[in-house]
Amino acid sequence: MGTARRYGPYGGSFVPETLVPALDELDRVWRTARGDPAFRRELARLSRSFGGRPTPLYFARNLTRRGRGAEIWLKREDLVHGGAHKFNNALGQGLLTVRMGKPRLIAETGAGQHGVATAMVGAALGLETEVFMGEVDMDRQKPNVDRMHLLGAKVIPVTTGRRTLKDAINAALRDWIANVRTTHYLIGSAVGPYPFPAIVADFQSVIGREIRRQSLAEFGRLPDLAIACVGGGSNAIGTFHPLLRTRVELLGVEAGGPRGSRGAASLTYGRPGVLHGSFSYLLQNDDGQVSDTESVSAGLDYAGVGPEHSWLKETGRARYIAVHDEDALRAFHWLAEDEGILPALEPSHALFAAVREARRRPNQRIVVTLSGRGDKDLGVVLDAAR
Ligand SMILES: *Cc1c(COP(=O)(O)O)cnc(C)c1O
């Protein structure tokens, strides 16, 4: 399941020859690490004492009243160290880097959340850390640039293309090709060439495993529906994986952007193609050029999506929809005012879908993965309210 090289026709590894040995080594080291009790103990120890896991499963009583139907429960990944689920993957891959004996980490970042998570882990594990970030994003997300600096990481401005996430990934891949013997590329979502999608799913599956355990403890059975937002797809695949062989319905929510646009909804509006080393759904124009995307949430603003989601869509095991910017903003305010929680704008897309689903599901239970907290988004939310 988590170790497939391909997901039906999706996935694969479309990379230059020079990267093949590094991908093979990573695959080998990850597979041995998974089976090594010492590695698992260390991962569990740091997840707990550094990361703050397990995160709670919270009954959103007031949001449930608003939905007037199914009970809505929140998986509180906003309480993980750094304020988002990104830490789970950064920690896991950081430990793999140490195991491979590589002294240097590189990463790409869009909104800066993955860069911050990588910088925290790099500091704690004593790894030299450099983060590629588009110049446009560095302007938009200055507080995260400051955080990365304070955590001892170097931030490298990317000045090519549209100077945003896609260009930052290209720059990181180029650096990796040049420095592959000393460097691990810590990809931040369930995307990229094999084995990255499988590794990221593995380290994020702690979310779904805890949902299983906590649902049984809180209400005596699994939820009827699990919902998560989908950018590259890592918090969603981590939520879904441990539930794949159950009867729980799975719903992924993409960024629909402003009304009338395709936003960044690769699975909803795209078609399969190759981007960043793997074959998956992709927003592209008629000539196969990767489309420009737009979304109120920087973390969902990516034209591609992890290959396993393409397969889950095609097999019908998971369903995917798009939610527009203004609906995500509405859900942000609902959660703030109803529950006293400021959510990130990314999971606000999933929250909107949850309230809508709840209305037609009396007597059911819905778990929504609240992938991050909203402090980083206050500027956007306040501007939108003006
Ligand atoms: C980065 C981010 C996302 C989107 O990434 P996925 O890989 O799709 O999970 C979602 N929520 C938050 C809070 C993020 O920081």
Side-chain angles (χ1 to χ4, degrees), residues 68-200:
R68 293 193 306 272
E71 285 182 8
I72 300 174
W73 293 72
L74 306 177
K75 179 57 176 161
R76 297 290 309 275
E77 294 297 296
D78 59 315
L79 297 178
V80 177
H81 182 42
H85 69 291
K86 297 249 169 36
F87 176 86
N88 305 327
N89 169 52
L91 177 63
Q93 287 197 51
L95 290 173
L96 290 182
T97 308
V98 172
R99 201 174 167 103
M100 287 185 288
K102 292 183 171 181
R104 179 171 176 261
L105 276 182
I106 56 170
E108 84 295 338
T109 199
Q113 293 300 101
H114 175 57
V116 169
T118 304
M120 293 184 320
V121 165
L125 300 183
L127 299 164
E128 184 194 338
T129 304
E130 298 186 25
V131 180
F132 292 86
M133 188 169 190
E135 265 187 341
V136 170
D137 289 332
M138 285 182 72
D139 276 349
R140 287 195 289 204
Q141 310 287 341
K142 177 131 190 341
N144 275 340
V145 176
D146 295 337
R147 284 186 188 105
M148 287 183 266
H149 283 146
L150 291 168
L151 290 160
K154 191 164 150 198
V155 181
I156 303 172
V158 176
T159 57
T160 50
R162 286 179 42 98
R163 296 173 291 148
T164 57
L165 178 62
K166 180 161 63 67
D167 314 295
I169 298 180
N170 287 332
L173 281 168
R174 270 195 302 276
D175 180 292
W176 201 33
I177 291 166
N179 300 299
V180 66
R181 294 218 339 269
T182 59
T183 300
H184 176 61
Y185 177 17
L186 206 164
I187 284 191
S189 189
V191 301
Y194 182 85
F196 282 109
I199 291 178
V200 176

Side-chain angles (χ1 to χ4, degrees), residues 188-224:
S189 189
V191 301
Y194 182 85
F196 282 109
I199 291 178
V200 176
D202 186 23
F203 290 132
Q204 292 293 1
S205 287
V206 66
I207 302 173
R209 284 197 305 272
E210 287 179 9
I211 289 175
R212 281 186 77 127
R213 201 177 67 228
Q214 292 168 326
S215 300
L216 294 174
E218 293 285 348
F219 47 82
R221 56 189 179 88
L222 294 178
D224 300 280

Side-chain angles (χ1 to χ4, degrees), residues 29 95 161 171 209 279 287:
V29 169
L95 290 173
R209 284 197 305 272
F279 182 65
D287 301 331

Side-chain angles (χ1 to χ4, degrees), residues 4-74:
R5 277 177 184 273
R6 280 185 183 271
Y7 309 96
Y10 301 107
S13 165
F14 300 85
V15 294
E17 206 58 44
T18 39
L19 286 185
V20 173
L23 292 172
D24 286 346
E25 179 193 21
L26 179 60
D27 189 29
R28 209 168 48 241
V29 169
W30 165 58
R31 282 167 194 271
T32 0
R34 300 180 91 202
D36 177 355
F39 181 87
R40 297 161 73 116
R41 260 199 313 276
E42 183 67 352
L43 179 62
R45 185 181 71 82
L46 289 171
S47 298
R48 191 175 61 242
S49 56
F50 184 36
R53 304 209 70 89
T55 60
L57 184 66
Y58 173 70
F59 177 42
R61 191 178 301 276
N62 301 323
L63 194 69
T64 293
R65 265 191 217 119
R66 183 183 287 276
R68 293 193 306 272
E71 285 182 8
I72 300 174
W73 293 72
L74 306 177

Side-chain angles (χ1 to χ4, degrees), residues 260-279:
S261 93
R262 299 194 300 173
S266 342
L267 292 158
T268 310
Y269 300 121
R271 59 201 160 78
V274 171
L275 177 66
H276 296 140
S278 97
F279 182 65

Side-chain angles (χ1 to χ4, degrees), residues 84-86 113 188-189 229-236 299-300 344 346-347 371-372:
H85 69 291
K86 297 249 169 36
Q113 293 300 101
S189 189
C229 65
V230 178
S234 71
N235 87 90
L300 301 184
E346 291 85 0
S371 53

